[in-house]
Amino acid sequence: MLKLKSLVPYIAGSLVAVVAIGILRTPKVSAAIKAAFVEVAIPSNPFYNNMIVLNAATSVGPDSGTLGVTNLTLTNFDSTAQQVFIFAPVFSTGGCGGPSADIIGGGGPQMQFYVQPQQTLSISYPSPLTFHGISGHTCVAAEVTTLLHGGSVEITVNGFVN
């Protein structure tokens, strides 16, 4: 009788393990678990937008969520080299890319790029460059900080939104 009582926890544990394995092996549960892992690895909300920067700061973005930028492509259509400032904008009115968007400052991440005349610069981020919402707006902004001579700078933003 004493030996039987000491075996009860082992028998109960084995039964729980067999039931758990049986549940996890069912096709529906197995597919749901795999789908959850794929969703983490491959986001379902891709983001793509571009902006033409002339003499004022310009912004693009989903305006909500968290933007993970995986690639920035800067093309200088001007005849002289241009310095471009990329940042997370702060607005007094409006939102991302809107006609009434009034950029009054910036937050992080911030970076400067120097693009040669009539050249394209592509920057990839294997670990996404993350832009969180500032004052409720999730955007990427750019400003040319050197003098344009009749050209412009085009910036393409690729990534995903969570």
Side-chain angles (χ1 to χ4, degrees):
M1 188 71 159
L2 184 60
K3 284 187 175 184
L4 186 61
K5 282 186 178 181
S6 64
L7 291 177
V8 169
Y10 295 109
I11 293 169
S14 298
L15 184 61
V16 169
V18 167
V19 170
I21 290 171
I23 289 172
L24 292 176
R25 296 280 302 168
T26 61
K28 269 189 168 180
V29 173
S30 179
I33 291 171
K34 287 179 185 173
F37 283 118
V38 168
E39 180 67 26
V40 170
I42 304 170
S44 60
N45 299 315
F47 178 81
Y48 168 85
N49 211 328
N50 64 356
M51 55 186 146
I52 307 287
V53 184
L54 296 170
N55 295 317
T58 308
S59 67
V60 295
D63 212 24
S64 64
T66 299
L67 176 61
V69 174
T70 56
N71 186 275
L72 287 171
T73 303
L74 298 89
T75 303
N76 181 4
F77 292 104
D78 202 70
S79 60
T80 60
Q82 298 298 320
Q83 185 169 347
V84 181
F85 179 51
I86 307 284
F87 60 101
V90 176
F91 299 98
S92 66
T93 59
C96 298
S100 63
D102 184 23
I103 299 172
I104 58 170
Q110 299 179 353
M111 61 215 77
Q112 300 271 350
F113 296 106
Y114 200 68
V115 188
Q116 296 301 315
Q118 310 294 317
Q119 297 287 316
T120 297
L121 176 63
S122 181
I123 301 103
S124 294
Y125 297 96
S127 293
L129 182 64
T130 306
F131 287 83
H132 299 284
I134 296 179
S135 301
H137 300 286
T138 304
C139 310
V140 178
E143 181 177 18
V144 173
T145 58
T146 48
L147 183 63
L148 286 167
H149 295 92
S152 64
V153 175
E154 180 177 350
I155 300 165
T156 303
V157 180
N158 286 299
F160 55 87
V161 181
N162 284 331

